[in-house]
Structures are given as C-alpha cells and as structure tokens.
Amino acid sequence: MKRLKLGVLISGRGSNLQALITACAESEFPAEIVLVISNKPDAKGLEHATAAGITTEVVEHGDYADRESFDREVDARLRSASVELVCLAGFMRLLSTWFTDSWHDRVINIHPSLLPAFKGIDAHAQALAAGVRLSGCTVHIVRPEMDAGPILVQAAVPVLPGDTEDDLSARILAVEHRCYPLAVRLLAENRVRIDGDHAIVEGDTYTEGYLINPARE
Ligand code: GRF
C-alpha cells in the first residue's frame, strides 16, 4: 500500500499529533508522518514525535525577517522530506498566501469549534459566551483567511451547564482525536473532491441519528 506522506506542523502540546501518530501505527492506515516541524523549540509535541521515531525539526519564526521568509524555510523542509499533505496541529502561526497557494488543497487544519462559528484562538470561550448548546471541532482545507476553507469533517458535542473552558476543551479534544485521522484517511484514499468552497466526500453516508441538548424527556 502506498502511504500518503504527512508533514505535521505544531507549536505546543501535540495531542492531535499523537492521535495521528497512533493512527499511522495501524498497518492498514493509508498515511505516514515523515516530518514534524515546530516553530517553538520547547513544544511538548516534539517529544511524541521523537518517541515514535519521527524526524523533527525546529524552525523558529523569530529567526526570520518576515512571515514569508519563515514560510519559505518551512516549505523547503517539507519538500525535501517529500511531504504530500501538511497537517496543522495546534500550529499557532498564520501562513502566508504564498504558502497556502503553493500547497493549494494540500494543507489541512483542526479547529475546536463548529466552523464558521467561533474562529480564532479563544473558540471555547466564545462558545461559552454565546450560550450555544452544541459545539465541536472542524477539520478543513486551509485557505489564506484564518480558520476558513472547505470543511472535511466535523463532530458535535454538548455544552453542559456549568462548563468551564477546560471542561469544554477536554470534551471537544476527545472528538478532535477521532476527526483528524478520519480526515487524513479520506484524503489519502482520494475520497474527497474540492468544489469551490465545499469538500465533497465520496460515499458519505450518515446513519447515526442526531445529537440534541438538552436531552428530551
Ligand atoms: C487543538 O484544540 C486544536 O483544535 C487547535 O489547537 C489545539 C492543539 O492541541 N488548533 P494539541 O497541540 O493538538 O494538543
């Protein structure tokens, strides 16, 4: 089986990176991680990659004059590792239009809300402030605008009375770890067609019912 070569960009904890590492460890999973790049030398996620025997590199954005020269360095390293799909996993840098154009439809991101609601870094706080009863996560193809682009996978979870940001974040993170490997699988199996702002998933059948909150009597 030919496996899609992934490059994962991180800035911190790396739990989504770990979810991808775990998925890729399955012999029938159609992708492999060939490189992990962090823009922060102390990112915890680097330890997950090293423990799994994956090559890691640090590209510190402070060492580059501007956003595009940093992006060009990241691009060069991804290309020299023959990366085919770039996965942003808690990567806290906006990518330049130059980068997203040169990797068109080949960069994906995971965000802890049901986009297009609650873009930006404080998605959980925004969801709590808005009083929504359902939130969740989104894996999408990256476009130059922040947290925008064709949606590949979403999962919803309830927002419960008294939830703190940490409570909601933990509940959403559990489904992030299922959604990111699923999105990678769909792309690796060539089951996604991008049509303008939409991602069409081949064989997309949903049979599980629905989520309602508060629960009915
Ligand atoms: C996740 O909540 C992800 O949705 C967001 O940043 C967080 C990264 O967490 N983009 P981790 O580093 O993968 O644990």
Side-chain angles (χ1 to χ4, degrees):
M1 175 183 60
K2 187 189 171 301
R3 296 177 143 218
L4 189 71
K5 292 184 165 56
L6 310 179
V8 184
L9 305 192
I10 63 168
S11 298
R13 178 178 57 183
S15 70
N16 279 290
L17 165 65
Q18 181 59 55
L20 291 173
I21 290 171
T22 303
C24 290
E26 298 292 326
S27 58
E28 42 58 80
F29 195 75
E32 61 179 324
I33 303 172
V34 295
L35 178 62
V36 171
I37 297 179
S38 173
N39 66 318
K40 300 229 171 116
D42 57 352
K44 267 299 226 187
L46 289 169
E47 294 169 22
H48 298 316
T50 304
I54 298 165
T55 304
T56 64
E57 295 182 6
V58 174
V59 184
E60 288 191 72
H61 55 269
D63 293 345
Y64 296 85
D66 52 34
R67 189 176 300 281
E68 193 172 310
S69 47
F70 168 78
D71 286 3
R72 283 185 186 273
E73 180 64 27
V74 171
D75 169 77
R77 292 176 187 229
L78 293 167
R79 289 187 195 282
S80 70
S82 302
V83 165
E84 296 168 299
L85 178 70
V86 180
C87 302
L88 309 184
F91 182 64
M92 303 304 284
R93 299 278 304 166
L94 273 179
L95 292 165
S96 59
T97 304
W98 173 81
F99 188 95
T100 51
D101 282 352
S102 31
W103 288 86
H104 191 70
D105 290 349
R106 294 191 298 141
V107 187
I108 62 176
N109 180 45
I110 186 156
H111 182 76
S113 74
L114 293 172
L115 290 174
F118 315 137
K119 298 177 179 184
I121 53 167
D122 56 352
H124 308 104
Q126 291 181 58
L128 292 175
V132 293
R133 292 190 171 275
L134 298 173
S135 191
C137 70
T138 303
V139 184
H140 64 97
I141 304 272
V142 169
R143 292 289 180 255
E145 305 76 35
M146 184 181 57
D147 298 327
I151 291 172
L152 295 163
V153 177
Q154 291 186 308
V157 301
V159 182
L160 299 178
D163 263 357
T164 63
E165 282 180 50
D166 284 350
D167 296 331
L168 182 57
S169 165
R171 197 174 305 121
I172 292 175
L173 200 60
V175 289
E176 290 185 41
H177 297 162
R178 295 175 61 183
C179 288
Y180 218 175
L182 172 59
V184 168
R185 175 187 283 281
L186 293 174
L187 289 166
E189 292 177 348
N190 265 318
R191 289 166 60 193
V192 179
R193 180 169 57 81
I194 307 299
D195 181 9
D197 292 337
H198 293 177
I200 318 290
V201 177
E202 179 193 298
D204 184 358
T205 54
Y206 182 78
T207 54
E208 285 180 45
Y210 59 90
L211 182 59
I212 185 165
N213 180 32
R216 289 179 301 171
E217 293 295 302

